[in-house]
Each structure stands twice: as structure tokens, then as C-alpha cells.
Amino acid sequence: MNKKTKLVTAYYAYHNDPPFWGQINRNRRYKYSLISLCLMGVEVICYTDNYRHSSVKELENLKEKFNLDNLTIKVFPLENNPWHERVVNIRKNNNPEKYNNRELLSFYHGSAQIYWSKFKLLEMELEPNTNIYWIDSGLCHPGLFSKQYSKWGDLGWDNQFAEEGKNYFDIEYRFHYYDKAFTPEKLQDINKFSEGKIINLCIQGHSDNDMDTFIERIVDKEKYPNVISNTNFPVGGFFGGNSTLLAEYIQHAYDIIDKVLDTEDYLTVDQEILWYLYVQYPEMVKNFYFNTYYHDDWDFYNKEHYGVPFEEFFTKPLTLN
């Protein structure tokens, strides 16, 4: 009997100010990416709320316009996450110089509530005999995927407006539409690749995050003395797998979050949590390794120099039939 598969994501696109400190101007990329995710043919559960905007209605309109019958919209107010008050206290009271200062990049680093809620929302969707994956709703865009994986790519991104009667808002979704990458067959390939474990997508050799601080403040260096040599860094855009194993994995993530909050002046992102989970529980994980986010549409990209692009997880076979 084949396992059920479902995808979990979120649309918190209007939470860029305190008390959430989320990313800004991502709403169109986030919602239009949902169209591609739904092409994989399984239930896509998207959590949202109506903070400062009617996001539920916005997603309902998207679902109706593009016939996204497998999109399930659920409401989870972001302030209901278990860590909200402690995160706000750190950002506004205990360490505002770092986390509530618009002059610093860390102000725009993103919302711990959003990042960490990935684990909470996955936990809410756990059910037996199921493969459950987190996938970022904003994953589908030309920075990560080349136009060859879109049916609209043959026009070339620069020629999208040549069609009579079309304006930008008519065809904007095309820039996030990758029907040759997000397919039911690819999801079957992913399930087979997982081998009943938790999939991570790991960039090799470098991280965009402050790993030195995370290692210094959070990692048990006596127990993991060689941790600095682990230079495979999971990214948070896609992870998950076997629901039984995932339930345990999420509890381990909560332990790390508690340790971060216990510092009372430090915050981290989901990617560092996933990395430490990989360090502590390598037997639970099946990794896909890549080297760069660049791809063939970047003028300077050369695979021999830059290595495996991120998009290959979705565009190349992971397993042999």
C-alpha cells in the first residue's frame, strides 16, 4: 500500500513589522508559487491568518481563479505559536540593539515565529502512514529555477508582454510557474529517495547564517567536538518525510528552540535548527547535496565551476526506477 503524501506550507506575507519582523514585499511571489506546488497532485495545506490583510480571501480567490482543487486553506494566527511572547521579549526588550534596529541586517533577517512555526504546522498535520513535507510557498521564482522548466519559458522572460491585451498583472503568475519541475512524478521520486527518512536539502561548503554564533551559544561542543567540520547546511525551503519519524524529529527541534530561548537574548533561524538536528541525528536524515542557487539562466553560471544547482532536486531524477 502506497503512503499518502501531502505538502504543508504557509502564507504569512503581511507580517514584516513588529511583533513579527517578517520579510517584506513577498506576497505575490508567495501566492503564485502555490500554483506550481499544486501541480504535484496531492493535498497542499496552506496556513495563513488575516493579520493586517484579508489573506484568507486572497488565497480563496487564487484557488478559484486557477482551479486549485487540491489547495486547502487553514487559519493559524501567527501570534498563537508557542514562542511568540518570548521572541517578542528578546527582540524588543532584551536585545533590541540587534533585533529591533532597522539599521542592522538582523532586523530584516526574518521572523523567528514564522521560521519556527514550520515545525508547529507540520506537527498539526501529522497522521499515520503518510509522507509529509514542508515546502516554502515562495520557492518558485526565476532566481531558483531556469525557464526551461516552465511552459512559458519558451517565450523568454523578456518577451512575456508581447501578447496582445496582456499586462503585467495578467501574466505575473507565469514567472512562478514551473510545470516541468513540480509534477506528480517528481513527488513519487522524492518519496522513493527518502527511504523512509527525513529529507534535507543541504548546500555544501558555506552558509548564509551566522553559524559561529550558533555553535558558540547553542551546540554542545563536548558531545560534538568535531561539529565545525560539518559543512553541509540544510536549507529550510523543503524538508520532511516519514510522518512517524517526523513526529520525533519535530520534538528534537522543539528542544533546540527551547535552548535558544533560554539564552534570553539570542534568536536563530530554522536552517540552523535543521543543521543541528542533522548533527545530532544523522541516522534520521537523507540528504540531497547541492552547491549553488545559480542555474543556466544566470549568464555567468558554469556547472563545472559552481557545481550542482538547487533546482536539480526538483528537475533531475533522484532515484533510478
Side-chain angles (χ1 to χ4, degrees):
M1 178 180 174
N2 292 330
K3 282 187 174 182
K4 176 182 177 181
T5 302
K6 59 182 179 179
L7 304 175
V8 182
T9 190
Y11 184 68
Y12 295 111
Y14 302 94
H15 299 65
N16 53 283
D17 287 324
F20 299 108
W21 297 271
Q23 302 285 357
I24 193 170
N25 295 331
R26 300 292 182 91
N27 56 306
R28 295 191 298 277
R29 186 178 111 189
Y30 288 174
K31 71 178 181 181
Y32 289 133
S33 288
L34 289 170
I35 302 170
S36 287
L37 303 191
C38 286
L39 294 174
M40 302 189 93
V42 299
E43 185 180 15
V44 178
I45 299 99
C46 181
Y47 282 90
T48 190
D49 65 16
N50 285 322
Y51 177 78
R52 295 195 347 184
H53 185 80
S54 299
S55 294
V56 173
K57 184 62 176 178
E58 184 178 11
L59 294 181
E60 289 174 345
N61 291 340
L62 183 82
K63 178 175 180 174
E64 180 179 0
K65 180 177 180 179
F66 292 96
N67 299 312
L68 306 179
D69 295 335
N70 56 326
L71 176 64
T72 300
I73 303 163
K74 295 186 178 182
V75 175
F76 181 79
L78 193 56
E79 65 267 23
N80 288 358
N81 78 82
W83 315 283
H84 180 68
E85 291 184 2
R86 296 179 72 185
V87 169
V88 171
N89 189 49
I90 288 173
R91 296 199 72 145
K92 295 188 72 172
N93 300 320
N94 294 0
N95 199 350
E97 295 82 4
K98 180 176 183 180
Y99 294 117
N100 200 31
N101 182 354
R102 290 181 182 272
E103 300 300 317
L104 297 180
L105 182 63
S106 52
F107 181 90
Y108 304 95
H109 193 53
S111 168
Q113 297 101 310
I114 293 176
Y115 290 139
W116 298 353
S117 286
K118 295 180 181 184
F119 301 107
K120 177 63 178 177
L121 301 180
L122 281 171
E123 184 181 45
M124 292 165 60
E125 292 298 328
L126 288 173
E127 59 180 290
N129 198 41
T130 306
N131 286 317
I132 306 175
Y133 301 103
W134 176 270
I135 186 165
D136 279 0
S137 63
L139 202 63
C140 308
H141 64 88
L144 291 180
F145 290 92
S146 53
K147 61 180 179 289
Q148 64 181 304
Y149 298 111
S150 171
K151 72 177 182 180
W152 303 110
D154 292 340
L155 291 175
W157 296 141
D158 294 335
N159 299 316
Q160 291 288 319
F161 303 103
E163 297 178 70
E164 184 178 355
K166 297 293 183 182
N167 61 49
Y168 179 78
F169 294 104
D170 288 328
I171 58 95
E172 182 182 16
Y173 74 93
R174 296 180 184 178
F175 296 94
H176 309 279
Y177 190 87
Y178 295 94
D179 55 317
K180 300 176 185 178
F182 294 88
T183 66
E185 293 75 22
K186 168 48 63 176
L187 197 54
Q188 293 174 12
D189 186 39
I190 290 171
N191 283 338
K192 187 175 180 181
F193 175 77
S194 74
E195 297 181 329
K197 296 185 177 183
I198 305 300
I199 292 178
N200 275 334
L201 277 55
C202 292
I203 190 166
Q204 295 185 292
H206 66 90
S207 171
D208 294 331
N209 301 308
D210 183 2
M211 297 305 303
D212 290 340
T213 300
F214 182 81
I215 291 171
E216 177 62 30
R217 304 207 61 182
I218 304 302
V219 171
D220 184 343
K221 290 177 286 298
E222 291 187 5
K223 190 173 183 179
Y224 305 101
N226 298 318
V227 69
I228 194 66
S229 65
N230 186 342
T231 56
N232 298 310
F233 300 101
V235 298
F238 183 95
F239 65 95
N242 182 322
S243 58
T244 301
L245 201 60
L246 187 59
E248 180 182 348
Y249 203 65
I250 290 169
Q251 293 306 312
H252 293 317
Y254 289 167
D255 291 340
I256 298 172
I257 291 172
D258 284 341
K259 189 169 183 178
V260 170
L261 290 173
D262 285 345
T263 67
E264 298 187 347
D265 65 353
Y266 172 67
L267 294 171
T268 187
V269 296
D270 54 324
Q271 296 176 3
E272 292 163 334
I273 293 168
L274 291 170
W275 175 80
Y276 198 22
L277 288 170
Y278 167 42
V279 167
Q280 295 180 90
Y281 309 103
E283 72 282 356
M284 300 177 70
V285 172
K286 179 72 180 289
N287 288 332
F288 170 84
Y289 300 102
F290 69 99
N291 307 104
T292 181
Y293 296 105
Y294 298 133
H295 52 69
D296 287 338
D297 288 355
W298 293 87
D299 292 339
F300 54 81
Y301 175 73
N302 179 291
K303 187 170 184 178
E304 184 175 341
H305 175 72
Y306 285 100
V308 175
F310 170 87
E311 70 174 12
E312 284 199 3
F313 178 78
F314 295 97
T315 60
K316 303 297 182 183
L318 301 172
T319 59
L320 297 176
N321 294 325

